Amino acid sequence: MSAPQVAPDTAETVARMVDLTISYRAGRQRVVVVDGLDLTIARGETVGLVGESGSGKSTAARTLLAGLRRGSTVDTGSVTVGETDVFALRGAQIQRLRGGRVALVAQNAGQALTPSMRIGAQIAEALTAHGLPATPERLIELARLVRLPDPETILERWPHQLSGGQQQRVGIAMAIATDPDLLVLDEPTTALDVITQAAILALIDELQRRLGMAVLIVSHDLGVISAVADRVLVMRNGRVVESGPVATVMDSPSSGYTAALLAAAPRVRPRPDTPIRTDIPAPTDTPSPTDGSSPTYRPSFTAAVSPAEEAGAGPAAEAPAPLVLRCTDIVIRYPGAPRPAVRSVDLDLRRGETVAVVGESGSGKSTVATALAGLTPAESGTAILTLDDGPFDLLAQRRRPREVRRLVQMIFQNADLALNPRRTIGDSIARPMRFFGRCSRREANERVAQLLTEVGLPASMAGRVPGQLSGGQRQRVGIARALAAEPAILVADEVTTALDVSVQAEVLDLLDNLRRTRNLAMVFISHDLAVVRRIADRVIVLESGVVVENAPTDALFDDPRHAYTKLLLDAVVEPGAAPPTASAIDMPAVSIAGALVDVGGGHLVRSTELSA
């Protein structure tokens, strides 16, 4: 049993777990998800639960709302809110607990909101469900409390008309509408860009202090926990391996597991004592097949060197890598949109290089990625892919030749949606091999096994379906499927967003190893600047579809030249570091097109939106 976490003597205990053990049946076995957990949460206190996927943190948190996944049972212990045993409640009593005394803010507010109801109606429903008046004045008061812009207007909008950060604020407004004793936040900032994340964390901290609630925040992001929590519990395999004040745990962890999590977390400002990970084997270490087939398949693509590069090339060891892609003045506009999503973007990519494209949600970075992959048409501009037999403009034709499609492959953000749930892993990887004519049906099984080994998975996984794999394993399968076409360029779109820190580190190391051993070029799209610093050679910063900075990674992070780049870096939360300052969230107007402008109450909008 874990050591009890005692609430401060001067504060009222809002919730308590005592020796809580939860398990579920898997076939003939019972799997323990939470093992002997003790936890208390006091009024006015924020407690963090952190750990990898499968650690039991979300399962434990949702017991405070009397929630258990189907097939789970409470084997030992109790969960109480105030003096109430939550698992003794039935029917209407549970409904009064949920949203009344304990409220939940889910990970993805966009999915939690009802798309066919206006925002105001959804907040009103949260009030009326608990017998509280839902007057227009109260709805506007709640909208202002969570710092939504133009409350009278925004309450009449539909969820799809709001940004991700605004949707999350609506979710928080619905949660606090009933003045709950305890607010449970389950990965509330996972899919948000750094500026929106910083604003949401500041809002959570402000509401906790203003309303005097107890807060339990669940996250795999150590920086998020560090920014808002007073105490933290680190969970592994259902058990608490370390707990204590956040500053103590982050600065001087007593558990080797906590230290490993902190070491695995990418940082914008790396600590000098952070070790370099070396536990991911290089693909060249893969044992050779015993049947005489080639052990590793490399792309046959060879890029031509431009005349200027050839003329200026020095010794071979110092010559720049060949240019494989040159994008010039790309403009992309969605049908019916008054302004382009991407304006005048230039991008050069060389063999063996990783170029990251960063920016907030809506900055246009994923639009650039999908255009390069042939999934989004461009209004104008060129993207010249240099081939052995001559250059090809990726944007010139809506339908690319098959060989060109093979050379540019995309790794998608959500492997759960990118893989066919009914197709085996082996079938998913083999399909591009057969489609692009890279092997015969008889050779496919051998190549699938080699690719699985190359991305760090056992060949036996070929017979499984995606639902039998973890999130990190599914992302590795997505990488293997992209490699199956033997591409020259990988376009990776937010591929680590939903992964915990240790799995994220493994996937980043894998991508970097593949880039080096296969001499691939990679366009890496991300809103996570710490991840970008870990993997990119060069960084392009997009703001409202415009490139505002383009520099080598270390130069950009150590000496950012543009106000918007500085804003992004100042908004990053990191383990053990101070949370973002108010200036990082409430930045005044900056002199760039479409800049962020503070319009009151810490809400940031674009200058272009003010005149729209």
Side-chain angles (χ1 to χ4, degrees), residues 330-335 337-345 362-368 376-377 379 542-547:
I330 296 178
V331 177
I332 304 170
R333 186 193 307 267
Y334 289 108
R339 292 183 296 270
V342 170
R343 293 177 285 164
S344 303
V345 167
S363 64
K365 56 187 185 297
S366 289
T367 301
V368 170
T376 299
E379 182 175 285
L542 273 183
E543 198 277 331
S544 295
V546 178
V547 176

Side-chain angles (χ1 to χ4, degrees), residues 134-181:
T135 63
E137 293 76 16
R138 176 58 173 159
L139 298 182
I140 291 173
E141 178 188 9
L142 286 166
R144 286 180 175 152
L145 192 60
V146 297
R147 300 193 180 281
L148 282 168
D150 303 320
E152 295 85 350
T153 303
I154 204 168
L155 292 174
E156 294 301 314
R157 296 183 188 173
W158 306 96
H160 72 272
Q161 294 176 310
L162 274 59
S163 69
Q166 290 171 342
Q167 290 174 346
Q168 199 68 298
R169 289 170 187 263
V170 172
I172 295 172
M174 294 169 65
I176 65 172
T178 59
D179 193 18
D181 298 320

Side-chain angles (χ1 to χ4, degrees), residues 554-583:
D554 286 343
L556 184 137
F557 279 84
D558 295 340
D559 186 22
R561 299 303 177 91
H562 200 277
Y564 180 70
T565 307
K566 294 176 183 178
L567 172 66
L568 292 177
L569 292 172
D570 287 344
V572 174
V573 291
E574 294 190 324
T581 61
S583 62

Side-chain angles (χ1 to χ4, degrees), residues 88-275:
L89 301 178
R90 295 292 181 270
Q93 295 174 320
I94 294 177
Q95 297 306 314
R96 286 194 292 271
L97 171 77
R98 296 174 180 171
R101 301 183 64 186
V102 184
L104 173 70
V105 178
Q107 176 175 343
N108 192 326
Q111 294 179 0
L113 297 175
T114 303
S116 58
M117 290 180 65
R118 296 184 188 273
I119 295 304
Q122 298 195 51
I123 299 175
E125 186 178 61
L127 289 162
T128 57
H130 293 276
L132 298 173
T135 63
E137 293 76 16
R138 176 58 173 159
L139 298 182
I140 291 173
E141 178 188 9
L142 286 166
R144 286 180 175 152
L145 192 60
V146 297
R147 300 193 180 281
L148 282 168
D150 303 320
E152 295 85 350
T153 303
I154 204 168
L155 292 174
E156 294 301 314
R157 296 183 188 173
W158 306 96
H160 72 272
Q161 294 176 310
L162 274 59
S163 69
Q166 290 171 342
Q167 290 174 346
Q168 199 68 298
R169 289 170 187 263
V170 172
I172 295 172
M174 294 169 65
I176 65 172
T178 59
D179 193 18
D181 298 320
L182 174 62
L183 183 64
V184 177
L185 302 120
D186 191 0
E187 300 280 9
T189 62
T190 294
L192 303 179
D193 61 71
V194 290
I195 291 178
T196 307
Q197 174 180 265
I200 292 296
L201 293 177
L203 173 64
I204 291 168
D205 192 52
E206 178 188 350
L207 291 174
Q208 189 270 341
R209 286 184 282 104
R210 181 182 295 188
L211 303 178
M213 301 178 295
V215 175
L216 179 67
I217 182 166
V218 176
S219 182
H220 65 256
D221 189 325
L222 297 166
V224 167
I225 297 295
S226 182
V228 297
D230 302 304
R231 287 188 297 125
V232 60
L233 284 76
V234 182
M235 295 188 69
R236 184 186 191 189
N237 297 330
R239 298 186 64 85
V240 174
V241 298
E242 183 166 2
S243 61
V246 165
T248 302
V249 172
M250 297 294 176
D251 293 341
S252 304
S254 60
S255 163
Y257 176 71
T258 307
L261 287 181
L262 289 167
R267 295 172 183 267
V268 166
R269 306 164 189 88
R271 297 185 305 186
D273 59 340
T274 301

Side-chain angles (χ1 to χ4, degrees), residues 13-14 29 55 148 214 270 286 289 300 348 377 385 424 427 459 465 504 515 530 554 574 587 604:
T13 297
V14 172
Q29 296 182 330
S55 63
L148 282 168
T286 304
S300 57
D348 284 356
L385 182 69
T424 67
D427 287 344
V465 295
Q504 181 184 80
R515 175 189 60 82
D554 286 343
E574 294 190 324
M587 183 180 178
L604 300 172

